[in-house]
């Protein structure tokens, strides 16, 4: 079947198998490898993208159903060479170690800050609770998102 999907402000049309997952469409069809594929059970959150601004685990979404959404991947956070404040926060406060969960964390944080520009640390923890980081213990991730909230212009 043919699908046309809007990703990071650009439309892509491809012939795909109806059962193709969005994570594989992004990575294999479009080469957008910032979206990671981790657990294959929708538990880890590394594959999170934004669908109309809301976090979604792309390993649970069929690419064919994504046609009616604006998809944002981690590649879409940076604009004209300028990092999103969330990306800056992760850099400033060392919110990553191995980096595998980072793209999903960044997108989840962006959605949180779009809804709530000044979340509490508990609200940040709740927002990222659907994602697993095996390296950091989450303290630096929370500090990174807090930094982004305090520096909305980067």
């Amino acid at each position: 079947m043919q699908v046309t999907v809007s990703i990071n402000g650009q439309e892509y049309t491809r012939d795909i198998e109806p059962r193709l997952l969005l994570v594989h469409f992004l990575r294999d069809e479009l080469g957008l490898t910032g979206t990671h594929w981790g657990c294959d059970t929708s538990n880890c959150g590394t594959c999170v993208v934004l669908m109309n601004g809301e976090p979604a685990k792309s390993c649970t979404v069929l690419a064919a159903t994504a046609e009616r959404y604006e998809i944002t991947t981690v590649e879409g956070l940076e604009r004209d060479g300028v990092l999103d404040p969330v990306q800056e926060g992760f850099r400033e406060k060392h919110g990553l170690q191995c980096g595998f969960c980072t793209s999903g964390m960044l997108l989840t944080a962006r959605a949180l800050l779009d809804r709530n520009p000044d979340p509490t640390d508990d609200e940040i923890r709740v927002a990222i609770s659907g994602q697993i980081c095996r390296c950091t213990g989450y303290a630096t991730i929370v500090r990174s998102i807090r930094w982004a909230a305090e520096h909305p212009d980067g």
Side-chain angles (χ1 to χ4, degrees):
M1 69 181 296
Q2 189 175 75
V3 296
T4 301
V5 183
S6 179
I7 301 168
N8 301 327
Q10 183 176 345
E11 287 198 353
Y12 297 90
T13 301
R14 297 288 190 280
D15 288 319
I16 63 167
E17 290 285 328
R19 65 183 178 196
L20 183 69
L21 293 172
L22 181 57
V23 66
H24 298 301
F25 181 76
L26 295 169
R27 292 181 60 80
D28 302 336
E29 295 290 324
L30 304 181
L32 296 171
T33 58
T35 302
H36 293 160
W37 180 44
C39 65
D40 206 25
T41 60
S42 79
N43 289 317
C44 73
T46 63
C47 67
V48 166
V49 297
L50 300 182
M51 296 180 71
N52 290 350
E54 292 298 318
K57 293 179 179 179
S58 62
C59 73
T60 64
V61 177
L62 293 173
T65 65
E67 280 192 305
R68 59 184 175 264
Y69 296 94
E70 173 58 42
I71 307 296
T72 304
T73 69
V74 70
E75 291 91 347
L77 286 179
E78 172 267 329
R79 301 280 184 193
D80 299 322
V82 177
L83 295 178
D84 183 279
V86 173
Q87 292 170 306
E88 286 283 338
F90 271 65
R91 186 180 64 116
E92 289 292 324
K93 297 298 178 181
H94 311 288
L96 61 102
Q97 285 183 14
C98 82
F100 196 72
C101 71
T102 304
S103 60
M105 290 284 188
L106 290 169
L107 290 161
T108 299
R110 171 48 39 221
L112 169 65
L113 295 177
D114 287 346
R115 282 190 317 273
N116 179 359
D118 189 27
T120 65
D121 286 357
D122 285 341
E123 289 169 326
I124 293 170
R125 285 185 188 93
V126 168
I128 64 172
S129 66
Q131 296 175 268
I132 296 172
C133 176
R134 290 175 173 33
C135 299
T136 66
Y138 300 93
T140 56
I141 293 171
V142 172
R143 282 196 292 270
S144 299
I145 297 169
R146 163 79 26 240
W147 187 95
E150 293 168 355
H151 301 87
D153 297 323

